[in-house]
Amino acid sequence: IVMTQSPATLSVSPGERATLSCRASQSVSSNLAWFQQKPGQAPRLLIYGASTRATGIPARFSGSGSGTEFTLTISSLQSEDFAVYYCQQYNIRPPYTFGQGTKLEFK
Amino acid sequence: QVQMVESGGGVVQPGRSLRLSCAASGFSFSSYGIYWVRQAPGKGLEWVAVISYDGSDKYYADSVKGRFTISRDNSKNTVDLQMNSLRAEDTAVYHCAKGYSYGEDWGQGTLVTVSS
């Protein structure tokens, strides 16, 4: 299953809303996770099951979608949210796959 | 708290082998699957392999199938990744993560450089 994220780079100002997209080449149901990665750091789980926030993740992060189309929304960007975001499908059985990432940068 | 610590990385010549280890603590290790993900320099994340909680199920990415082997020792809370016939394109930081379907907690990774 190929995961395609768009856009590759998103320029947004602090306080604004950011919408990141992830598309699967075939249905993955709701078996979709989102990760955040900052330079020099390990990835951090944000969302699993397409829409369930992981422990400790702020409510400004929300996930939606099912099947082949998914969205990660950050409602009001904080300075610490500028990072690269990856989606990953885990449908049925491995191998699993990541999208190529969306870089969220300061406008 | 959960800790995942990778070790064993280094510089290795093409065609040679290397064994990575992932040491876990802070959770009931024998109840969780563990997966490996790698990241080539300046690139995105690539899923590599996963092992189930009891070691009975193992899966690999096509890019490493037949060359890499994942294993675990629940008495030592460790997961190993044996990497054989290494290629230049295997150069990456290798992360292990708690979880079978998605990584709930990640290690900082260990760098593997395949170069002559």
Side-chain angles (χ1 to χ4, degrees):
Chain A
I1 299 175
V2 177
M3 306 301 292
T4 303
Q5 292 186 240
S6 62
T9 303
L10 183 61
S11 300
V12 186
S13 299
E16 292 186 338
R17 180 187 194 95
T19 302
L20 289 68
S21 297
C22 176
R23 174 177 292 179
S25 61
Q26 62 189 75
S27 177
V28 298
S29 186
S30 294
N31 298 313
L32 191 285
W34 288 96
F35 298 89
Q36 176 193 67
Q37 188 179 33
K38 297 179 181 179
Q41 296 187 17
R44 173 194 183 196
L45 176 67
L46 298 175
I47 302 283
Y48 61 92
S51 61
T52 303
R53 276 190 302 278
T55 303
I57 302 304
R60 65 180 181 273
F61 290 90
S62 63
S64 63
S66 66
T68 63
E69 299 284 344
F70 301 88
T71 300
L72 174 70
T73 302
I74 311 171
S75 59
S76 179
L77 276 165
Q78 307 296 305
S79 57
E80 62 265 30
D81 300 334
F82 293 96
V84 180
Y85 292 82
Y86 296 93
C87 60
Q88 181 225 312
Q89 66 82 17
Y90 52 95
N91 194 45
I92 303 177
R93 57 186 283 174
Y96 301 140
T97 44
F98 286 90
Q100 81 278 20
T102 290
K103 182 180 181 180
L104 188 56
E105 66 175 24
F106 181 78
K107 186 174 182 181
Chain B
Q1 75 281 20
V2 174
Q3 278 201 311
M4 309 292 290
V5 180
E6 305 89 343
S7 61
V11 180
V12 60
Q13 294 179 328
R16 304 298 289 266
S17 299
L18 204 61
R19 190 176 185 91
L20 305 184
S21 189
C22 171
S25 61
F27 64 101
S28 180
F29 181 77
S30 60
S31 297
Y32 286 86
I34 301 292
Y35 76 22
W36 286 92
V37 170
R38 68 185 181 183
Q39 188 167 33
K43 302 297 184 182
L45 302 175
E46 180 186 10
W47 184 90
V48 173
V50 66
I51 188 166
S52 61
Y53 69 99
D54 60 355
S56 61
D57 292 327
K58 304 174 185 180
Y59 295 94
Y60 303 91
D62 288 344
S63 57
V64 307
K65 198 175 296 181
R67 301 188 298 123
F68 289 15
T69 302
I70 191 170
S71 61
R72 67 187 296 156
D73 186 336
N74 283 348
S75 68
K76 296 181 179 178
N77 286 11
T78 58
V79 171
D80 288 351
L81 187 67
Q82 177 66 42
M83 305 186 296
N84 298 333
S85 303
L86 283 162
R87 307 166 179 168
E89 54 265 35
D90 296 319
T91 294
V93 173
Y94 286 73
H95 297 275
C96 65
K98 170 195 169 194
Y100 186 87
S101 299
Y102 49 85
E104 301 173 29
D105 296 277
W106 295 62
Q108 286 299 311
T110 187
L111 175 62
V112 173
T113 302
V114 183
S115 173
S116 54

